[in-house]
Coordinates of all heavy atoms in Angstrom, one line a residue:
M12 N 57.3 23.5 35.6 CA 56.5 24.7 35.4 C 55.6 24.6 34.1 O 54.5 25.0 34.1 CB 57.4 25.9 35.3 CG 58.0 26.3 36.7 SD 59.2 27.6 36.7 CE 58.4 28.9 35.9
L13 N 56.3 24.1 33.0 CA 55.5 23.9 31.8 C 54.4 23.0 32.0 O 53.3 23.2 31.4 CB 56.5 23.5 30.7 CG 57.5 24.5 30.2 CD1 58.4 23.8 29.1 CD2 56.9 25.8 29.6
S14 N 54.5 21.9 32.7 CA 53.5 20.9 32.9 C 52.4 21.5 33.8 O 51.2 21.0 33.8 CB 54.1 19.7 33.5 OG 54.6 19.9 34.8
D15 N 52.6 22.6 34.5 CA 51.6 23.2 35.3 C 51.0 24.4 34.5 O 50.4 25.2 35.2 CB 52.3 23.7 36.7 CG 52.6 22.7 37.6 OD1 51.9 21.6 37.5 OD2 53.5 22.8 38.4
N16 N 51.3 24.5 33.3 CA 50.7 25.5 32.4 C 51.2 26.9 32.8 O 50.4 27.9 32.7 CB 49.3 25.5 32.3 CG 48.7 24.2 31.6 OD1 49.4 23.8 30.6 ND2 47.7 23.5 32.1
V17 N 52.4 27.0 33.3 CA 53.0 28.3 33.7 C 53.8 28.8 32.4 O 54.5 28.1 31.8 CB 54.0 28.2 34.8 CG1 54.7 29.5 35.1 CG2 53.2 27.8 36.1
E18 N 53.5 30.1 32.0 CA 54.2 30.6 30.9 C 55.6 30.9 31.3 O 55.8 31.9 32.2 CB 53.5 31.8 30.3 CG 54.2 32.4 29.1 CD 53.5 33.6 28.5 OE1 52.6 34.1 29.1 OE2 54.1 34.1 27.6
V19 N 56.5 30.3 30.7 CA 58.0 30.6 31.1 C 58.5 31.5 30.0 O 58.4 31.2 28.8 CB 58.7 29.3 31.2 CG1 60.2 29.5 31.4 CG2 58.1 28.3 32.2
V20 N 59.2 32.5 30.4 CA 59.9 33.4 29.5 C 61.4 33.6 30.0 O 61.6 33.8 31.2 CB 59.2 34.8 29.4 CG1 60.0 35.7 28.6 CG2 57.8 34.7 29.0
L21 N 62.3 33.3 29.2 CA 63.8 33.5 29.5 C 64.1 34.9 29.1 O 63.8 35.4 27.9 CB 64.6 32.5 28.8 CG 64.4 31.0 29.2 CD1 65.3 30.1 28.3 CD2 64.5 30.8 30.6
F22 N 64.8 35.6 29.9 CA 65.3 37.0 29.7 C 66.8 37.0 29.7 O 67.4 36.7 30.7 CB 64.7 38.0 30.6 CG 65.2 39.4 30.4 CD1 64.7 40.1 29.2 CD2 66.0 40.0 31.3 CE1 65.2 41.4 29.0 CE2 66.4 41.3 31.0 CZ 66.1 42.0 29.9
L23 N 67.5 37.5 28.6 CA 68.9 37.6 28.6 C 69.1 39.1 28.6 O 68.9 39.9 27.7 CB 69.4 37.1 27.3 CG 69.3 35.6 27.1 CD1 69.7 35.2 25.7 CD2 70.0 34.8 28.1
P24 N 69.6 39.6 29.8 CA 69.9 41.0 29.9 C 71.1 41.4 29.1 O 72.1 40.7 29.1 CB 70.1 41.2 31.4 CG 70.6 39.9 31.9 CD 69.9 38.9 31.0
P25 N 71.1 42.7 28.5 CA 72.3 43.1 27.8 C 73.3 43.6 28.7 O 73.0 44.1 29.8 CB 71.7 44.2 26.9 CG 70.6 44.8 27.7 CD 70.0 43.6 28.5
Y26 N 74.6 43.5 28.3 CA 75.7 44.2 28.9 C 75.9 45.6 28.2 O 75.6 45.7 27.0 CB 77.0 43.4 28.8 CG 77.0 42.2 29.6 CD1 76.7 40.9 29.0 CD2 77.3 42.2 31.0 CE1 76.8 39.8 29.8 CE2 77.4 41.0 31.7 CZ 77.1 39.8 31.1 OH 77.1 38.7 31.9
H27 N 76.5 46.5 28.8 CA 77.1 47.7 28.3 C 78.0 47.3 27.1 O 78.7 46.3 27.2 CB 77.8 48.5 29.3 CG 78.3 49.8 28.8 ND1 79.3 50.0 27.9 CD2 77.8 51.1 29.0 CE1 79.5 51.2 27.7 NE2 78.6 52.0 28.3
L28 N 78.0 48.0 26.0 CA 78.8 47.6 24.8 C 80.3 47.4 25.1 O 80.8 46.4 24.7 CB 78.6 48.5 23.6 CG 79.3 48.2 22.4 CD1 78.8 46.9 21.8 CD2 79.2 49.3 21.3
E29 N 80.9 48.3 25.8 CA 82.3 48.2 26.2 C 82.5 46.9 27.0 O 83.4 46.1 26.8 CB 82.8 49.4 26.9 CG 82.9 50.6 26.0 CD 83.4 51.8 26.8 OE1 84.3 51.6 27.7 OE2 83.0 52.9 26.4
T30 N 81.7 46.7 28.0 CA 81.8 45.5 28.9 C 81.6 44.2 28.0 O 82.3 43.3 28.2 CB 80.7 45.5 30.0 OG1 80.9 46.7 30.8 CG2 80.8 44.3 30.9
F31 N 80.6 44.2 27.1 CA 80.3 43.0 26.3 C 81.5 42.7 25.4 O 82.0 41.5 25.3 CB 79.1 43.3 25.5 CG 78.7 42.1 24.6 CD1 78.2 40.9 25.1 CD2 78.9 42.1 23.2 CE1 77.8 39.9 24.4 CE2 78.7 41.0 22.4 CZ 78.1 39.9 23.0
N32 N 82.1 43.7 24.8 CA 83.3 43.5 24.0 C 84.5 42.9 24.8 O 85.2 42.1 24.3 CB 83.7 44.8 23.2 CG 82.7 45.2 22.1 OD1 82.0 44.3 21.6 ND2 82.6 46.5 21.8
I33 N 84.6 43.4 26.0 CA 85.7 42.9 26.8 C 85.5 41.5 27.2 O 86.4 40.6 27.1 CB 85.9 43.8 28.1 CG1 86.5 45.2 27.7 CG2 86.8 43.1 29.1 CD1 86.4 46.2 28.8
L34 N 84.3 41.2 27.6 CA 83.9 39.9 28.1 C 84.0 38.8 27.1 O 84.4 37.7 27.3 CB 82.5 39.8 28.7 CG 82.2 40.6 30.0 CD1 80.8 40.7 30.4 CD2 83.1 40.0 31.2
K35 N 83.6 39.1 25.8 CA 83.6 38.2 24.8 C 85.0 37.8 24.3 O 85.2 36.8 23.6 CB 82.7 38.6 23.6 CG 83.1 39.6 22.8 CD 82.1 39.9 21.7 CE 82.6 41.1 20.8 NZ 81.6 41.3 19.7
K36 N 85.9 38.7 24.6 CA 87.3 38.5 24.1 C 88.2 37.8 25.1 O 89.2 37.2 24.7 CB 88.0 39.9 23.8 CG 87.5 40.5 22.5 CD 88.1 41.8 22.3 CE 87.4 42.5 21.1 NZ 87.9 43.9 20.9
R37 N 87.8 37.9 26.4 CA 88.7 37.3 27.4 C 88.4 35.8 27.5 O 87.2 35.4 27.6 CB 88.3 37.9 28.8 CG 88.9 39.3 29.0 CD 88.5 39.9 30.3 NE 88.6 39.0 31.4 CZ 88.3 39.3 32.6 NH1 87.9 40.5 32.9 NH2 88.4 38.4 33.6
P38 N 89.4 34.9 27.6 CA 89.2 33.5 27.6 C 88.3 33.1 28.9 O 87.5 32.1 28.7 CB 90.6 32.9 27.7 CG 91.5 34.0 27.2 CD 90.8 35.3 27.5
D39 N 88.4 33.8 29.9 CA 87.7 33.3 31.2 C 86.3 33.8 31.2 O 85.5 33.3 32.0 CB 88.5 33.8 32.4 CG 88.7 35.3 32.5 OD1 88.7 36.0 31.5 OD2 88.7 35.8 33.7
T40 N 85.8 34.7 30.2 CA 84.5 35.2 30.3 C 83.8 35.0 28.9 O 82.6 35.3 28.8 CB 84.4 36.6 30.7 OG1 85.3 37.4 29.9 CG2 84.8 36.7 32.2
A41 N 84.5 34.5 27.9 CA 83.9 34.4 26.6 C 82.8 33.4 26.5 O 82.1 33.3 25.6 CB 85.0 33.9 25.6
I42 N 82.7 32.6 27.6 CA 81.6 31.7 27.7 C 80.2 32.3 27.6 O 79.2 31.7 27.4 CB 81.7 30.8 29.0 CG1 80.9 29.6 28.9 CG2 81.5 31.7 30.2 CD1 81.1 28.6 30.0
I43 N 80.1 33.6 27.8 CA 78.8 34.3 27.8 C 78.2 34.2 26.4 O 77.0 34.0 26.2 CB 78.9 35.8 28.1 CG1 79.7 36.6 27.1 CG2 79.3 36.0 29.5 CD1 79.6 38.2 27.2
L44 N 79.0 34.0 25.4 CA 78.5 33.7 24.0 C 77.9 32.4 23.9 O 76.8 32.2 23.3 CB 79.6 34.0 23.0 CG 80.2 35.4 22.8 CD1 81.3 35.4 21.9 CD2 79.2 36.4 22.5
E45 N 78.6 31.4 24.4 CA 78.2 30.0 24.4 C 76.9 29.9 25.3 O 75.9 29.1 25.0 CB 79.2 29.1 24.9 CG 80.4 29.0 24.1 CD 81.6 28.2 24.7 OE1 81.2 27.1 25.3 OE2 82.8 28.6 24.6
T46 N 76.8 30.6 26.4 CA 75.7 30.5 27.4 C 74.5 31.0 26.7 O 73.4 30.4 26.8 CB 76.0 31.3 28.6 OG1 77.2 30.8 29.2 CG2 74.9 31.2 29.6
Q47 N 74.6 32.1 25.9 CA 73.5 32.6 25.2 C 72.9 31.6 24.3 O 71.7 31.4 24.1 CB 73.8 33.9 24.6 CG 72.6 34.5 23.9 CD 72.8 36.0 23.6 OE1 73.0 36.8 24.4 NE2 72.7 36.4 22.3
E48 N 73.8 30.9 23.6 CA 73.3 29.9 22.6 C 72.7 28.7 23.3 O 71.7 28.1 22.8 CB 74.5 29.3 21.7 CG 75.0 30.5 20.8 CD 73.9 31.0 19.9 OE1 73.2 30.3 19.3 OE2 73.9 32.3 19.8
V49 N 73.2 28.3 24.5 CA 72.5 27.3 25.3 C 71.1 27.7 25.7 O 70.2 26.9 25.5 CB 73.4 26.9 26.6 CG1 72.6 26.0 27.5 CG2 74.7 26.3 26.1
F50 N 71.0 28.9 26.1 CA 69.6 29.4 26.5 C 68.7 29.4 25.2 O 67.5 29.0 25.3 CB 69.6 30.8 27.0 CG 70.0 30.9 28.5 CD1 71.2 31.1 28.9 CD2 68.9 30.6 29.4 CE1 71.5 31.1 30.4 CE2 69.2 30.6 30.8 CZ 70.5 30.8 31.2
K51 N 69.2 29.8 24.1 CA 68.4 29.7 22.9 C 68.0 28.3 22.5 O 66.8 28.0 22.1 CB 69.1 30.3 21.7 CG 69.2 31.9 21.8 CD 70.0 32.5 20.6 CE 70.2 33.9 20.7 NZ 71.0 34.5 19.5
S52 N 68.9 27.4 22.7 CA 68.6 26.0 22.4 C 67.6 25.5 23.3 O 66.7 24.7 22.9 CB 69.9 25.2 22.5 OG 69.7 23.8 22.4
I53 N 67.7 25.7 24.6 CA 66.6 25.3 25.6 C 65.3 25.9 25.2 O 64.3 25.2 25.3 CB 67.1 25.6 27.0 CG1 68.3 24.8 27.4 CG2 66.0 25.5 28.0 CD1 69.0 25.3 28.7
A54 N 65.3 27.2 24.9 CA 64.0 27.8 24.5 C 63.4 27.2 23.3 O 62.2 26.9 23.3 CB 64.3 29.3 24.3
K55 N 64.2 26.8 22.4 CA 63.6 26.2 21.1 C 63.1 24.8 21.4 O 62.0 24.4 21.0 CB 64.7 26.1 20.0 CG 64.2 25.6 18.8 CD 65.3 25.6 17.7 CE 64.8 25.0 16.4 NZ 65.8 25.1 15.3
K56 N 63.9 24.0 22.3 CA 63.5 22.7 22.6 C 62.2 22.6 23.3 O 61.4 21.7 23.0 CB 64.7 22.0 23.4 CG 64.4 20.6 23.9 CD 65.4 20.0 24.6 CE 65.2 18.6 25.0 NZ 66.3 18.0 25.8
Y57 N 62.0 23.5 24.2 CA 60.8 23.5 25.1 C 59.7 24.5 24.6 O 58.8 24.7 25.4 CB 61.2 23.6 26.5 CG 62.0 22.5 27.0 CD1 63.3 22.6 27.2 CD2 61.4 21.3 27.4 CE1 64.1 21.5 27.7 CE2 62.1 20.2 27.8 CZ 63.4 20.3 28.0 OH 64.2 19.2 28.4
N58 N 59.9 25.1 23.5 CA 59.0 26.1 23.0 C 58.7 27.2 24.0 O 57.6 27.5 24.4 CB 57.7 25.5 22.5 CG 56.9 26.4 21.7 OD1 57.4 27.2 20.9 ND2 55.6 26.3 21.7
I59 N 59.9 27.7 24.5 CA 59.8 28.8 25.6 C 60.2 30.1 24.9 O 61.2 30.2 24.1 CB 60.8 28.5 26.7 CG1 60.3 27.2 27.4 CG2 60.8 29.7 27.7 CD1 61.3 26.7 28.5
K60 N 59.5 31.1 25.2 CA 59.9 32.5 24.6 C 61.1 32.9 25.3 O 61.3 32.8 26.5 CB 58.7 33.5 24.9 CG 58.9 34.8 24.3 CD 57.7 35.7 24.4 CE 58.0 37.0 23.6 NZ 56.8 37.8 23.5
I61 N 61.9 33.6 24.5 CA 63.3 34.2 24.9 C 63.3 35.6 24.5 O 62.9 36.0 23.4 CB 64.5 33.4 24.5 CG1 65.7 33.9 25.2 CG2 64.6 33.4 23.0 CD1 66.8 32.9 25.1
I62 N 63.6 36.5 25.4 CA 63.6 37.9 25.2 C 65.0 38.4 25.6 O 65.5 38.0 26.6 CB 62.5 38.6 26.0 CG1 61.1 38.2 25.6 CG2 62.7 40.1 25.9 CD1 60.0 38.8 26.4
G63 N 65.5 39.3 24.7 CA 66.7 40.0 25.1 C 67.9 39.3 24.5 O 67.8 38.3 23.7
S64 N 69.1 39.9 24.8 CA 70.3 39.4 24.3 C 71.5 40.0 25.2 O 71.3 41.1 25.7 CB 70.5 39.8 22.9 OG 71.8 39.6 22.4
N65 N 72.5 39.3 25.4 CA 73.6 39.9 26.1 C 74.3 40.9 25.2 O 75.0 41.8 25.8 CB 74.7 38.8 26.5 CG 74.1 37.8 27.5 OD1 74.3 36.6 27.4 ND2 73.3 38.2 28.4
D66 N 74.2 40.9 24.0 CA 74.7 41.9 23.0 C 73.9 43.1 22.9 O 72.8 43.0 22.3 CB 75.0 41.2 21.7 CG 75.8 42.1 20.7 OD1 76.0 43.3 20.9 OD2 76.3 41.5 19.7
P67 N 74.4 44.2 23.3 CA 73.5 45.5 23.3 C 73.2 45.9 21.9 O 72.2 46.6 21.6 CB 74.3 46.5 24.1 CG 75.7 46.0 24.0 CD 75.6 44.6 23.9
K68 N 74.0 45.5 20.9 CA 73.8 45.9 19.5 C 72.5 45.3 18.9 O 72.0 45.9 18.0 CB 75.0 45.6 18.7 CG 76.3 46.4 19.0 CD 77.5 46.1 18.0 CE 77.9 44.7 18.3 NZ 79.0 44.2 17.6
D69 N 72.2 44.1 19.5 CA 71.0 43.5 19.0 C 69.7 44.4 19.2 O 68.7 44.1 18.5 CB 70.8 42.1 19.6 CG 71.8 41.1 19.2 OD1 72.5 41.4 18.2 OD2 71.9 40.0 19.9
Y70 N 69.8 45.3 20.1 CA 68.7 46.2 20.3 C 69.0 47.7 20.3 O 68.3 48.5 20.8 CB 68.1 45.9 21.8 CG 67.4 44.5 21.8 CD1 68.1 43.4 22.2 CD2 66.1 44.3 21.4 CE1 67.5 42.1 22.3 CE2 65.6 43.1 21.4 CZ 66.3 42.0 21.8 OH 65.7 40.7 21.8
N71 N 70.1 47.9 19.6 CA 70.5 49.4 19.4 C 70.6 50.1 20.7 O 70.1 51.2 20.8 CB 69.5 50.1 18.4 CG 69.5 49.5 17.1 OD1 70.6 49.1 16.6 ND2 68.3 49.3 16.5
L72 N 71.2 49.5 21.7 CA 71.4 50.1 23.0 C 72.7 50.8 23.0 O 73.7 50.3 22.5 CB 71.3 49.1 24.1 CG 70.1 48.3 24.2 CD1 70.1 47.3 25.3 CD2 68.9 49.3 24.5
Y73 N 72.7 52.0 23.7 CA 73.9 52.8 23.8 C 74.4 53.1 25.2 O 73.7 52.7 26.1 CB 73.6 54.1 23.0 CG 73.3 53.9 21.6 CD1 71.9 53.9 21.2 CD2 74.2 53.6 20.6 CE1 71.5 53.6 19.9 CE2 73.8 53.4 19.3 CZ 72.5 53.4 18.9 OH 72.1 53.1 17.6
E74 N 75.4 53.8 25.4 CA 76.0 54.0 26.6 C 75.0 54.6 27.6 O 75.0 54.1 28.8 CB 77.2 54.9 26.5 CG 78.0 55.2 27.8 CD 79.3 56.0 27.6 OE1 79.9 55.7 26.6 OE2 79.6 56.8 28.5
N75 N 74.2 55.5 27.2 CA 73.2 56.2 28.1 C 72.1 55.3 28.5 O 71.2 55.7 29.2 CB 72.8 57.4 27.5 CG 72.0 57.4 26.2 OD1 72.0 56.3 25.7 ND2 71.4 58.5 25.8
D76 N 72.0 54.0 28.0 CA 71.0 53.1 28.3 C 71.4 52.3 29.5 O 70.6 51.3 29.9 CB 70.7 52.2 27.1 CG 70.0 52.9 26.0 OD1 69.0 53.6 26.2 OD2 70.4 52.7 24.8
F77 N 72.5 52.5 30.1 CA 73.1 51.7 31.2 C 73.4 52.6 32.4 O 73.9 53.7 32.2 CB 74.3 50.9 30.7 CG 73.9 49.9 29.7 CD1 73.9 50.2 28.3 CD2 73.7 48.6 30.1 CE1 73.5 49.2 27.4 CE2 73.3 47.6 29.1 CZ 73.2 47.9 27.8
Y78 N 73.3 52.0 33.6 CA 73.7 52.6 34.8 C 75.3 52.5 34.9 O 76.0 53.3 35.3 CB 73.2 52.0 36.0 CG 71.7 52.3 36.1 CD1 70.7 51.3 36.0 CD2 71.2 53.5 36.5 CE1 69.4 51.5 36.2 CE2 69.9 53.8 36.7 CZ 69.0 52.7 36.5 OH 67.6 53.1 36.6
D79 N 75.7 51.3 34.5 CA 77.1 50.9 34.5 C 77.3 49.8 33.5 O 76.6 49.6 32.6 CB 77.6 50.5 35.9 CG 76.7 49.3 36.5 OD1 76.2 48.6 35.7 OD2 76.6 49.2 37.7
G80 N 78.5 49.1 33.6 CA 78.8 48.1 32.6 C 77.9 46.9 32.6 O 77.9 46.1 31.6
M81 N 77.1 46.7 33.6 CA 76.3 45.5 33.7 C 74.8 45.7 34.0 O 74.0 44.8 33.9 CB 76.9 44.5 34.7 CG 78.3 44.1 34.5 SD 78.9 42.9 35.6 CE 78.0 41.5 35.3
H82 N 74.4 46.9 34.1 CA 73.0 47.1 34.6 C 72.3 48.1 33.6 O 72.5 49.3 33.6 CB 73.0 47.6 35.9 CG 73.6 46.7 37.0 ND1 74.9 46.8 37.4 CD2 73.0 45.6 37.5 CE1 75.1 45.8 38.2 NE2 74.0 45.0 38.4
P83 N 71.3 47.5 32.9 CA 70.5 48.4 31.9 C 69.5 49.2 32.7 O 69.0 48.7 33.7 CB 69.9 47.3 31.0 CG 69.8 46.1 31.8 CD 71.0 46.1 32.7
K84 N 69.3 50.4 32.2 CA 68.3 51.3 32.8 C 66.9 50.8 32.3 O 66.8 50.0 31.4 CB 68.5 52.7 32.3 CG 69.8 53.4 32.9 CD 69.9 54.8 32.4 CE 71.2 55.4 33.0 NZ 71.3 56.8 32.4
N85 N 65.9 51.3 33.0 CA 64.5 50.9 32.6 C 64.3 51.2 31.2 O 63.5 50.5 30.5 CB 63.6 51.6 33.5 CG 63.4 51.1 34.9 OD1 63.9 49.9 35.2 ND2 62.9 51.8 35.9
K86 N 64.8 52.3 30.7 CA 64.5 52.7 29.3 C 65.1 51.6 28.3 O 64.6 51.4 27.2 CB 65.0 54.1 28.9 CG 66.5 54.3 28.9 CD 66.8 55.7 28.6 CE 68.3 55.9 28.5 NZ 68.6 57.3 28.0
A87 N 66.2 51.0 28.7 CA 66.8 49.9 27.9 C 65.9 48.7 27.8 O 65.7 48.1 26.8 CB 68.2 49.6 28.4
I88 N 65.3 48.4 29.0 CA 64.5 47.2 29.1 C 63.2 47.5 28.3 O 62.7 46.6 27.5 CB 64.0 46.9 30.6 CG1 65.3 46.6 31.4 CG2 63.1 45.8 30.7 CD1 66.2 45.5 30.9
S89 N 62.7 48.8 28.4 CA 61.6 49.2 27.6 C 61.9 49.1 26.1 O 61.0 48.6 25.3 CB 61.2 50.6 27.9 OG 60.6 50.6 29.2
K90 N 63.0 49.4 25.7 CA 63.4 49.3 24.2 C 63.4 47.8 23.8 O 62.9 47.5 22.7 CB 64.8 49.8 24.0 CG 65.0 51.3 23.9 CD 66.4 51.6 23.6 CE 66.6 53.1 23.5 NZ 68.1 53.5 23.1
I91 N 63.9 47.0 24.6 CA 63.9 45.5 24.3 C 62.4 45.0 24.2 O 62.1 44.3 23.3 CB 64.7 44.7 25.4 CG1 66.2 45.1 25.3 CG2 64.5 43.2 25.2 CD1 67.0 44.6 26.5
L92 N 61.6 45.3 25.2 CA 60.3 44.8 25.2 C 59.5 45.4 24.1 O 58.6 44.7 23.4 CB 59.6 45.1 26.5 CG 60.2 44.5 27.8 CD1 59.5 44.9 29.0 CD2 60.2 43.0 27.6
T93 N 59.7 46.6 23.7 CA 59.0 47.3 22.6 C 59.4 46.5 21.3 O 58.6 46.3 20.4 CB 59.3 48.8 22.5 OG1 58.8 49.4 23.7 CG2 58.6 49.4 21.3
F94 N 60.7 46.3 21.2 CA 61.3 45.6 20.0 C 60.6 44.2 19.8 O 60.3 43.7 18.7 CB 62.8 45.5 20.1 CG 63.4 44.9 18.9 CD1 63.8 45.7 17.8 CD2 63.7 43.5 18.8 CE1 64.4 45.1 16.7 CE2 64.3 43.0 17.7 CZ 64.6 43.8 16.6
E95 N 60.5 43.5 20.9 CA 59.9 42.2 20.9 C 58.5 42.1 20.5 O 58.0 41.1 20.0 CB 60.1 41.5 22.2 CG 61.6 41.2 22.6 CD 62.2 40.2 21.8 OE1 61.6 39.3 21.2 OE2 63.4 40.2 21.6
K96 N 57.7 43.2 20.7 CA 56.3 43.3 20.4 C 56.1 43.4 18.9 O 55.0 43.2 18.4 CB 55.6 44.4 21.1 CG 55.5 44.2 22.6 CD 54.8 45.4 23.3 CE 54.7 45.1 24.8 NZ 54.0 46.2 25.4
R97 N 57.1 43.7 18.1 CA 57.0 43.9 16.6 C 56.7 42.6 16.0 O 57.0 41.6 16.3 CB 58.2 44.5 16.1 CG 58.6 45.9 16.5 CD 59.7 46.4 15.8 NE 60.3 47.5 16.6 CZ 61.4 48.1 16.3 NH1 62.1 47.6 15.3 NH2 61.8 49.1 16.9

């Protein structure tokens, strides 16, 4: 895609804070922290823009910014995109 001059953007969607705290503590799901670092490394290596974070605290997201434990509402995505424009 990069060789075809396609702008690639990686998006890391946030989890609900309670879900994120549970996932990062459990041995079978703590890999989400490592995975995020892998995405950051790939983005840096290929000069690809990365937006978002699995950690909702990175964007001051709260309970009412989510439909449930894994799905951010449109207003949460807007907060992330607005933050990234700064």
Side-chain angles (χ1 to χ4, degrees):
M12 289 173 52
L13 294 173
S14 65
D15 289 334
N16 294 319
V17 174
E18 181 182 5
V19 177
V20 177
L21 299 177
F22 178 68
L23 297 173
Y26 289 99
H27 184 286
L28 183 59
E29 289 180 35
T30 302
F31 182 74
N32 287 334
I33 290 168
L34 292 174
K35 71 180 183 178
K36 290 178 185 175
R37 287 179 40 181
D39 60 328
T40 56
I42 195 167
I43 64 167
L44 300 175
E45 293 174 43
T46 302
Q47 183 163 299
E48 292 306 312
V49 168
F50 277 101
K51 287 180 182 179
S52 175
I53 292 169
K55 184 176 181 178
K56 179 178 179 179
Y57 294 102
N58 197 30
I59 296 172
K60 185 172 185 173
I61 189 163
I62 297 174
S64 170
N65 296 141
D66 187 345
K68 291 184 291 181
D69 289 347
Y70 292 95
N71 298 316
L72 299 177
Y73 302 98
E74 186 172 322
N75 63 351
D76 289 313
F77 294 85
Y78 291 109
D79 56 26
M81 297 184 74
H82 299 96
K84 293 180 179 177
N85 287 342
K86 68 179 185 172
I88 302 303
S89 293
K90 282 183 183 182
I91 292 168
L92 296 176
T93 300
F94 185 88
E95 292 295 330
K96 288 181 182 179
R97 294 184 198 171

